[in-house]
């Protein structure tokens, strides 16, 4: 096959509603980014500019180019225009004649050029009609309950759902050529792809079955293959089967190596004519969703990789940008590498976004991040007429065939929360029929037909026996738990439930002052002002943040302190939930918090800011997702009674070790109860522990009643740590009252800075007193710290390595350095 890329052609665009002027365009791209590049609109993310740009979705936009097809392509018998993605309601015209029309941005199209093509220059025009106009005039009888679209009925169109607004993202309903566009020329037959099926044999070998997929069926097509590992040729041959005798398996992050073989296949016909070449990286592995019965009387929901049950540690992934067209590998790498650095092994590609680009899945393969892949349906009920089903069937087939060979692919999931949010509507026969048609017939049949290996799950959350009550999630299926946040329940509510797998739970925080400054001038940073409210998309979100912060912390002195406390609260909430779910292992086998990333600068549930900065949560995630973990469960609680008098039932503390590392180990668990005023040790203990893969074990229960009665819970902190080979691998402080009641002594910190490389520095912090969640920043210097938001213990130096993006002197680092711990917010 020969190709002519059209992305490099001289594209231009215009507002065709009233015959506007032409301006230079970029392909792949979208109208919002093209308008911004032409200085026709202000920064969509700044202040309240979003509100003033809603007119864009009402207009008709045209994209135009001129191209010439080389003679060698014209010599082929079949010439086709291939569009991998048009967003969304498009009419494609070549030399004034209609080639085709589209209404699904997730479907690739192929149109024969034939008699439409000219020998010299050819004029290509793509007209994008207003998506809003299409929504108003399409499937008018479909009137779903709305949850995120303030205008409504976006579900009638197969378009990225969160373009229409979500509770963390803006409404930018865009249009454009969002993926590759090219001319392909071929003669005789064309290779569309190769289906590779792995069989893992009892003797440890792996067999790969190869099935070429051609534009025209050819039973005599032959595969000529080469299998390589790096630069080493493992095997080569001809035929439909490859046997690998001593395979190196692919494992998720933290479980082993992410070995990827390069498989190159050339397909020929009976006359030995080459039909096409297919090259992919594949990981030799098995991933199964185990739903077998367990001793507790329910069923497991766990992923088994190469025969080993793996606790899924991770987060939910949303689109990396509000304008997804043209995202590159580097745009994904920043956040995906941060996920792997926090010991995550799974991401859920959430169903309100997009099927991500190959760059995203390449990185997940390389980093060992298993992918729970939603189909792109979220929250509201969708149509189910025959035309809609036919479009979804095509969409699913294309995406499954594109992704099925991926080592990272762990699950296909039908939708996000449609079952959970619409239980009453789904009792209506017509709506139930449409729902079942899509999610219990069209999609599972497509997975069976085009994948046949990866498990399918109809919705998230879903309980096989039916029902949406949380009690059902303790017996089977997966759960979204939002009583903490949406219902404003206490954080300890996490510990009241024994779920099997938790695929959503979260807590919001504000983004850092540095990220906030990218959209909000300092004089407009009041959280209830117009700019900040526009960058808070959850109704009442600012009030909920302040509610939870006020329960745990004292009133902050400044906006920066409020941001800091909101991030501490978010980290505490997720730590409480994740550590509880990990303690339940193997009853519970997954914790994916909401959410990993942002699509614009905003107050949200993310642990990574839009700028890539790590929030406090992400630093703590690296600790609570560590392969071996020491954690504490405090079964008591502190409440306020009549007269606002504090009452506490805190007395016992259960000390746990949790291990999901692939190999056993022995270590030492240690604990110290110390006095805040002077660091004096009041109680101390040590225990040798054995850590076994897949095991959570209560190692000791401490009765702190006498010590608390004598010294007061406001004056003491329990320190917990786990050492392996004389190295501390897990450490934290257990607070026995709310932090706002702690009597923290005034803090002073001595800082030593040493340059250890051209762009690497070591910061050593020492404090004479305990400091809770000590955090440091280097405003104006892009950097990544090996740790942050940690506890400083009295007179114990803490060294952190900082990687800089440019060189800096010790003096420059010292001038830039800012520090804060909890006591500094008082």
């Amino acid at each position: 096959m020969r190709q002519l890329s059209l992305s490099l052609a001289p594209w231009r665009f215009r507002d065709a509603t009233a015959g506007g002027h032409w301006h230079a365009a970029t392909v792949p791209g979208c109208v919002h980014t093209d308008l911004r590049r032409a200085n026709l609109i202000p920064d969509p993310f700044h202040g309240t500019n979003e509100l003033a740009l809603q007119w864009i979705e009402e207009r008709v936009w045209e994209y135009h180019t001129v191209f010439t097809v080389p003679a060698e392509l014209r010599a082929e018998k079949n010439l086709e225009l291939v569009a991998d993605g048009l967003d969304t309601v498009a009419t494609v015209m070549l030399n004034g004649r209609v080639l085709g029309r589209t209404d699904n941005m997730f479907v690739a199209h192929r149109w024969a050029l034939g008699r439409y093509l000219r020998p010299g220059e050819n004029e290509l025009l793509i007209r994008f009609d207003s998506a809003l106009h299409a929504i108003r005039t399409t499937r008018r009888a479909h009137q779903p309950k709305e949850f995120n679209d303030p205008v409504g009925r976006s579900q009638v169109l197969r378009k990225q759902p969160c373009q229409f607004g979500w509770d963390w993202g803006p409404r930018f309903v865009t249009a454009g050529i969002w993926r590759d566009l090219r001319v392909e020329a071929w003669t005789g037959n064309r290779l569309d792809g190769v289906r590779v099926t792995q069989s893992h044999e009892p003797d440890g070998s792996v067999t790969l079955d190869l099935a070429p997929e051609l534009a025209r069926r050819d039973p005599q097509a032959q595969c000529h293959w080469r299998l390589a590992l790096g630069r080493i040729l493992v095997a080569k041959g001809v035929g439909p089967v490859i046997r690998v005798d001593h395979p190196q398996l692919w494992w998720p992050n933290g479980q082993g190596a992410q070995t990827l073989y390069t498989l190159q296949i050339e397909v020929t016909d009976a006359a030995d004519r080459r039909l096409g070449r297919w090259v992919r990286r594949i990981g030799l592995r098995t991933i199964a969703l185990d739903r077998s019965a367990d001793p507790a009387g329910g069923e497991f929901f766990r992923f088994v990789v190469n025969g080993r049950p793996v606790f899924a540690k991770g987060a939910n992934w949303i689109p990396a940008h509000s304008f997804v067209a043209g995202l590159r590998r580097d745009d994904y790498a920043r956040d995906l590498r941060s996920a792997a650095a926090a010991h995550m092994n799974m991401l859920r590609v959430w169903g309100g976004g997009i099927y991500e680009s190959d760059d995203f899945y390449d990185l997940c393969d390389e980093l060992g991040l298993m992918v729970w892949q939603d189909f792109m349906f979220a929250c509201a009920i969708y149509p189910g007429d025959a035309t809609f089903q036919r479009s979804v069937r095509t969409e699913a087939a294309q995406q499954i065939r594109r992704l099925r060979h991926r080592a990272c692919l762990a699950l296909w999931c039908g939708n996000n929360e449609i079952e959970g949010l619409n239980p009453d509507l789904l009792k209506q026969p017509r709506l139930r029929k449409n729902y079942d048609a899509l999610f219990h017939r069209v999609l599972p049949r497509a997975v069976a037909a085009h994948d046949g290996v990866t498990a399918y799950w109809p919705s998230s959350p879903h309980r096989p026996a039916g029902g949406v009550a949380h009690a059902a999630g303790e017996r089977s299926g997966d759960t979204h738990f939002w009583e903490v946040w949406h219902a404003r329940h206490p954080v300890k509510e996490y510990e009241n439930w024994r779920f099997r797998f938790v695929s959503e739970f979260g807590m919001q925080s504000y983004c850092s002052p540095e990220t906030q400054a990218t959209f909000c001038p300092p004089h407009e940073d009041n959280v209830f002002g117009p700019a900040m409210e526009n960058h808070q998309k959850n109704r009442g979100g600012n009030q909920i943040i302040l509610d939870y912060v006020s329960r745990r912390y004292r009133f902050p002195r400044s906006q920066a302190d409020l941001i800091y406390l909101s991030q501490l609260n978010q980290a505490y909430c997720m730590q409480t939930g994740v550590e509880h779910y990990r303690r339940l292992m193997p009853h519970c086998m997954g914790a994916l918090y909401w959410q990993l990333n942002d699509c614009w600068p905003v107050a949200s549930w993310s642990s990574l800011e839009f700028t890539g900065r790590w929030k406090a949560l992400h630093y703590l995630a690296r600790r609570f997702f560590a392969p071996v973990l020491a954690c504490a469960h405090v079964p008591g609680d502190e409440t306020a009674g009549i007269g606002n008098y504090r009452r506490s039932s805190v007395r016992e503390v259960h000390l746990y070790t949790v291990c999901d590392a692939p190999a056993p180990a022995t270590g030492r668990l240690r604990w110290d109860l110390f006095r805040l005023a002077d660091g004096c040790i009041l109680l101390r203990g040590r225990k040798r522990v054995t850590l076994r893969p897949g095991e959570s074990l209560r190692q000791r229960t401490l009765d702190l009643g006498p010590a608390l009665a004598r010294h007061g819970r406001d004056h003491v902190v329990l320190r917990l740590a786990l050492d392996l080979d004389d190295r501390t691998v897990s450490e934290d402080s257990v607070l026995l009252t709310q932090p706002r009641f702690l009597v923290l002594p005034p803090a002073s910190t001595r800082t030593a800075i040493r340059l250890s490389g051209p762009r690497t520095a070591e910061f050593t912090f020492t404090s004479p007193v305990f400091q809770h969640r000590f955090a440091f920043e280097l405003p104006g210097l892009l950097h990544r710290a090996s740790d942050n938001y940690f506890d400083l213990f009295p007179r114990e130096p803490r060294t952190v390595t900082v990687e800089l993006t440019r060189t800096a002197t010790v003096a420059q680092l010292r001038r830039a350095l800012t520090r804060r711990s909890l006591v500094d917010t008082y």
Side-chain angles (χ1 to χ4, degrees), residues 21-40:
H21 296 292
W22 291 99
H23 303 276
T26 298
V27 172
C30 72
V31 65
H32 282 80
T33 54
D34 284 333
L35 286 167
R36 178 64 181 145
R37 196 175 292 109
N39 291 318
L40 297 174

Side-chain angles (χ1 to χ4, degrees), residues 335 337-342 344 571 593 596 607-608 613-623:
D335 291 351
R337 287 173 180 155
S338 291
M344 295 185 185
Y593 64 71
L596 179 70
S607 61
L608 298 175
R613 294 176 62 91
W614 288 23
K615 291 183 178 178
L617 167 55
H618 208 79
Y619 284 103
L620 264 70
R622 183 153 61 181
R623 295 175 218 154

Side-chain angles (χ1 to χ4, degrees), residues 415-552:
N415 68 74
N416 171 75
E417 292 187 343
I418 296 178
E419 287 184 10
L421 292 177
N422 301 276
D424 294 331
L425 288 176
L426 288 176
K427 293 176 183 177
Q428 298 180 22
R430 181 180 63 84
L431 296 180
R432 186 76 217 188
K433 178 183 177 182
N434 289 343
Y435 180 86
D436 287 344
L438 287 176
F439 303 109
H440 291 284
R441 289 195 294 277
V442 171
L443 291 178
R445 288 174 182 174
V447 171
H450 302 289
D451 183 323
V453 175
T454 310
Y456 173 81
W457 190 244
S459 183
S460 182
H462 175 70
R463 283 66 182 266
V468 296
H470 285 320
E474 296 187 303
R475 295 189 296 272
S476 65
D478 73 307
T479 294
H480 293 189
F481 189 74
W482 283 105
E483 269 64 11
V484 178
W485 177 263
H486 286 301
R488 301 199 192 191
H489 287 191
V491 177
K492 286 185 73 68
E493 181 78 3
Y494 286 124
E495 298 173 349
N496 293 336
W497 299 93
R498 293 173 54 84
F499 297 126
R500 297 301 184 140
F501 193 107
V502 189
S503 43
E504 276 193 28
F505 60 107
M507 174 61 61
Q508 272 201 11
S509 70
Y510 294 114
C511 56
S512 65
E514 290 76 14
T515 298
Q516 182 177 292
T518 65
F519 70 85
C520 183
H523 63 280
E524 296 180 12
D525 64 359
N526 188 294
V527 295
F528 294 113
M532 292 293 288
E533 282 284 9
N534 193 58
H535 288 255
Q536 166 59 271
K537 292 303 183 181
N538 183 246
R539 271 184 299 190
N542 287 328
Q543 290 87 343
I544 299 175
I545 291 176
L546 295 179
D547 179 14
Y548 277 100
V549 167
S550 68
R551 298 182 200 182
R552 188 163 173 81

Side-chain angles (χ1 to χ4, degrees), residues 86-114:
L86 299 177
D87 182 11
T88 292
V89 186
T91 301
V92 181
M93 303 180 69
L94 182 66
N95 298 323
R97 302 177 70 178
V98 175
L99 276 181
R101 293 183 171 87
T102 75
D103 61 1
N104 185 333
M105 73 175 285
F106 303 123
V107 168
H109 294 270
R110 183 180 291 271
W111 296 288
L113 296 178

Side-chain angles (χ1 to χ4, degrees), residues 25 27 69 74 321 378 437 475-476 493 515 574 772 823:
V27 172
V69 177
R74 292 182 59 82
H321 201 285
R475 295 189 296 272
S476 65
E493 181 78 3
T515 298
M574 294 301 93
H772 185 54
V823 70

Side-chain angles (χ1 to χ4, degrees), residues 13-22 31 55-63 127-131 133:
F13 81 107
R14 69 172 181 173
D15 178 355
T17 310
H21 296 292
W22 291 99
V31 65
W55 58 272
I56 296 172
E57 67 186 46
E58 298 281 2
R59 304 298 178 89
V60 176
W61 300 96
E62 289 182 345
Y63 278 73
R127 177 187 177 93
F128 293 95
D129 288 316
S130 164
H133 175 75

